[in-house]
Amino acid sequence: MTLMVTLHGGCFVGGSHLWDQKQTFCLQKLGYQVHQLDFPKDNFEDTIDFIHKTLLQLVKSNEGNKLHLLGRSSGGYLAKVLFDKYPDLIKKAIYLAPVFDPITRGKINTKFQTKQSHYFRNTVELPNTESFNSTREFLFLAERDANVPKECFTTEQLKLAIHLGIQTHGGLLQTTSNAFQQKIMEIMKS
């Protein structure tokens, strides 16, 4: 069975792995072994360390098979950082409306700035998310995302983004549509 780990959103300091239960159940029905992680949310360094250790344990308990990582919103940033930092651990990464550039998002949408600043308070330099591997990374974007502006992505990322016609941030994060299911199955088979 294909192993998939999911990371929830919540402006880095909030959210819950329980938010995504409907979509996780949908992914399980498609035949994937899904692990929704409930990770610490006090600061970036502890979050990445916890998730990395958990991923290593899951890979070890699955006979060394690489895993697939799906990140939603701020969890999408975490997934991107982990994919870039540990490429040999992750087979494919899927990002649903990710916050690829927290600094730019905080400047454009100031309601997120305070929470994000606290979360990244011990981080000297935020990891860059400008690289993109078009055969192993898959970016899903909503049509009109009020939470994550287009300025958070590179031109290449925007060009390669997958659009399912879902209009809102929340709608994309919770979708179980046939189009979503079909695209996930295509990604996992490729």
Side-chain angles (χ1 to χ4, degrees):
M1 187 176 280
T2 303
L3 177 64
M4 181 183 288
V5 175
T6 66
L7 306 175
H8 66 78
C11 197
F12 298 102
V13 296
S16 167
H17 66 289
L18 300 175
W19 283 4
D20 309 315
Q21 285 183 327
K22 185 177 176 184
Q23 193 178 79
T24 296
F25 181 68
C26 173
L27 294 168
Q28 289 169 333
K29 282 179 56 177
L30 293 175
Y32 309 119
Q33 178 188 352
V34 182
H35 295 267
Q36 285 183 277
L37 296 192
D38 186 18
F39 47 84
K41 298 176 277 280
D42 181 58
N43 69 75
F44 175 70
E45 310 302 330
D46 289 347
T47 302
I48 291 296
D49 185 52
F50 175 88
I51 296 171
H52 178 236
K53 287 177 181 174
T54 304
L55 297 181
L56 288 172
Q57 290 171 352
L58 286 169
V59 166
K60 185 178 180 181
S61 65
N62 282 274
E63 301 173 1
N65 291 325
K66 289 184 180 180
L67 55 85
H68 297 80
L69 190 58
L70 184 147
R72 302 169 179 103
S73 193
S74 56
Y77 177 78
L78 301 174
K80 176 66 173 149
V81 169
L82 289 159
F83 179 84
D84 288 347
K85 195 170 183 176
Y86 307 106
D88 295 336
L89 187 62
I90 301 162
K91 186 171 184 176
K92 293 180 184 169
I94 301 166
Y95 314 110
L96 303 182
V99 182
F100 271 7
D101 188 342
I103 301 297
T104 297
R105 179 179 78 158
K107 289 177 182 174
I108 293 171
N109 199 335
T110 57
K111 72 178 183 178
F112 297 117
Q113 194 166 12
T114 302
K115 290 179 182 181
Q116 291 178 177
S117 296
H118 178 75
Y119 181 72
F120 291 107
R121 69 192 177 280
N122 299 327
T123 307
V124 177
E125 185 176 337
L126 265 65
N128 186 306
T129 58
E130 292 183 359
S131 66
F132 202 77
N133 181 326
S134 62
T135 61
R136 296 181 53 211
E137 294 181 277
F138 303 88
L139 172 63
F140 287 76
L141 295 178
E143 301 303 321
R144 291 188 305 254
D145 194 329
N147 289 6
V148 185
K150 299 278 189 237
E151 291 85 353
C152 290
F153 306 98
T154 67
T155 303
E156 178 191 17
Q157 290 167 348
L158 289 172
K159 181 181 170 188
L160 295 170
I162 299 164
H163 295 271
L164 300 175
I166 297 170
Q167 297 299 308
T168 66
H169 186 78
L172 182 57
L173 299 184
Q174 297 182 10
T175 188
T176 58
S177 71
N178 288 336
F180 172 75
Q181 293 179 50
Q182 196 66 29
K183 198 65 184 172
I184 292 294
M185 289 189 296
E186 287 173 21
I187 289 168
M188 299 301 270
K189 288 179 185 175
S190 65

